[in-house]
Amino acid sequence: MSVDVRTITESEFTDWLRALATGFLRPPVVREDEAAERLPHMGLPRIRGAFDDGRCVATYRSFAQELTVPGGGKVPASAVSNVTVSPTHRRRGLLSRMMDADLAAAKERGDVLSTLIAAEYRIYGRHGFGPAASITEWEVDVPRAGLDARWAGPGDGGRIDLVDGADVRKLGPELHERFRATQHGAVDRDERWWQLGTGQVVMSFQPWTEPFYAVYRSAQGEVEGLLVYQADEKWGDAKQPLNTATVRDMIAVSPAAERALWHFVCAVDWITTVRSGYRASDDLLPLLLPDPRAARIVTQADLLWVRLLDVVRALEARTYAVPGSLVLQVHDAAGLAGGRFRLDASADGAVCAPSAESPDLTLDVRELGSLYLGEESAVRLVALGRVTEESAGAAAVADALFRTPRRPWCPDIF
Ligand SMILES: CC(C)(COP(=O)(O)OP(=O)(O)OC[C@H]1O[C@@H](n2cnc3c(N)ncnc32)[C@H](O)[C@@H]1OP(=O)(O)O)[C@@H](O)C(=O)NCCC(=O)NCCS
């Protein structure tokens, strides 16, 4: 009997959750009340599944998202999540069938691109996704870092206050809106994100531990940064503190706030290790320490992947560091975004249009996804044989145009 790939009905949601748990190696039992709790927030019309003899054997979901691009513009994205195929049904094309249908629907809807966070590097390139924003996680050996133990707070007239979850729900959304307008690679957070992130809503299947919330206010009293961290309680045999602070979230709209919040968490008494969480790869943290080697990299990886669906709107949505022009020949095996396009960038904005001129660069849509937010270098992709330079120096022109002074970063896992 052939496997049926389609959107699911409400009555199939519990079975779909069971298949999701199976694919992610979690215990494959789902209580009806858990299903009822989750269903209203999942966007049923965009949940897909594969069914073999009536049993769900693959899961997939997409939802509307906004992605910030260089310059602060926001593009409508189709975020992909909850992708699994049960181990009995892998490598038979089920993911490909769900993905093809969902990307076609996203294109039809007018989404500029699709985003996802890949569990494994080798899954999504064939579907036109390229790694577009990486992360780095550091572990700081606080005693070695050499920070001044007498630090008594920011010396710039600003202040740090501990607040509770209700305060965060009030000030967090507005702070985050300001933050994401300055950070390409960031995505929107809805009200539920803040409810889940502050324990106002606790899912029965996810244990909740209340973290500490610290807010930085500038000398003018403006909220400019939020730090969320947890601490364990660990002491050595000689009664020395060995506590680790783990940063769950940290967003800042000014360098002063970012510097102060890092300094704060590294200066809490008893904390001897700080784990940074997934940060932009050019985060200030290591260089804020008198001894940057005290910040050891524990994770360095791709995080956000981008799949362009509309090259013209994508390239016109962002800004460019310098004026310049390029003709790009974009291949897309799925037939969604390919073509030849001329990009003219200037201080007044960018114009992109289909073109018949000879191309400067030939590349797959996957490579354009990696260049789009400024993460990757065209010169490097040419050296790797993955982008073809049709006119001499075109890759350097592309880098001058596309690369950004600060790295793209997506702070959220979805
Ligand atoms: C990743 C996963 C969803 C792939 O599903 P699938 O139905 O087996 O994928 P498909 O059969 O459509 O694969 C299409 C192609 O991708 C390749 N591919 C799929 N998963 C891959 C992986 N993890 N690593 C390398 N290649 C992979 C297949 O070999 C196939 O190649 P081919 O076209 O050359 O034959 C499935 O293996 C799974 O559920 N893994 C565990 C959960 C997970 O990692 N989910 C992703 C969360 S982001």
Side-chain angles (χ1 to χ4, degrees), residues 140-405:
V140 180
D141 177 348
V142 174
R144 181 181 167 181
L147 290 166
D148 184 354
R150 291 162 306 171
W151 192 73
D156 56 7
R159 55 180 289 157
I160 292 175
D161 294 297
L162 289 173
V163 299
D164 61 23
D167 298 316
V168 172
R169 287 190 293 280
K170 272 189 227 129
L171 60 85
E174 201 237 308
L175 176 70
H176 183 261
E177 283 304 303
R178 290 168 61 209
F179 160 76
R180 74 179 177 113
T182 65
Q183 178 62 62
H184 51 297
V187 297
D188 58 310
R189 294 177 176 177
D190 61 12
E191 189 186 359
R192 189 168 169 79
W193 193 99
W194 293 100
Q195 291 171 338
L196 288 166
T198 56
Q200 189 185 33
V201 172
V202 177
M203 304 295 267
S204 53
F205 57 93
Q206 271 169 347
W208 169 256
T209 306
E210 186 76 8
F212 298 101
Y213 309 97
V215 167
Y216 170 92
R217 287 191 177 81
S218 68
Q220 290 71 38
E222 188 95 4
V223 173
E224 291 187 348
L226 169 68
L227 164 73
V228 183
Y229 67 99
Q230 278 176 322
D232 62 1
E233 273 188 66
K234 205 169 154 210
W235 289 78
D237 293 337
K239 289 292 283 169
Q240 80 275 31
L242 290 174
N243 299 273
T244 296
T246 301
V247 174
R248 298 277 170 232
D249 190 21
M250 207 253 260
I251 53 172
V253 295
S254 70
E258 193 174 339
R259 292 195 305 265
L261 289 170
W262 277 133
H263 204 146
F264 171 74
V265 71
C266 290
V268 175
D269 286 346
W270 299 3
I271 297 293
T272 52
T273 303
V274 171
R275 276 189 88 103
S276 69
Y278 291 171
R279 311 295 305 172
S281 296
D282 63 348
D283 193 280
L284 302 182
L285 174 62
L287 296 184
L288 279 173
L289 308 174
D291 182 353
R293 291 187 201 167
R296 190 171 60 88
I297 292 176
V298 289
T299 313
Q300 169 68 65
D302 55 282
L303 189 88
L304 183 77
W305 289 57
V306 163
R307 202 270 187 234
L308 297 181
L309 294 168
D310 184 332
V311 170
V312 168
R313 283 168 65 213
L315 295 191
E316 287 189 344
R318 59 159 289 177
T319 59
Y320 298 85
V322 295
S325 299
L326 271 181
V327 178
L328 303 173
Q329 178 70 48
V330 181
H331 290 301
D332 183 353
L336 295 168
R340 192 176 299 176
F341 306 93
R342 183 186 165 95
L343 169 69
D344 289 294
S346 75
D348 304 326
V351 177
C352 182
S355 168
E357 292 172 64
S358 53
D360 298 308
L361 291 176
T362 298
L363 71 178
D364 192 87
V365 68
R366 183 183 59 208
E367 268 65 55
L368 192 55
S370 289
L371 295 172
Y372 181 54
L373 296 177
E375 168 82 1
E376 191 44 90
S377 144
V379 167
R380 195 159 89 131
L381 292 176
V382 168
L384 286 163
R386 283 165 40 194
V387 169
T388 306
E389 201 172 42
E390 311 284 2
S391 65
V397 172
D399 281 346
L401 284 166
F402 279 87
R403 296 213 94 178
T404 52

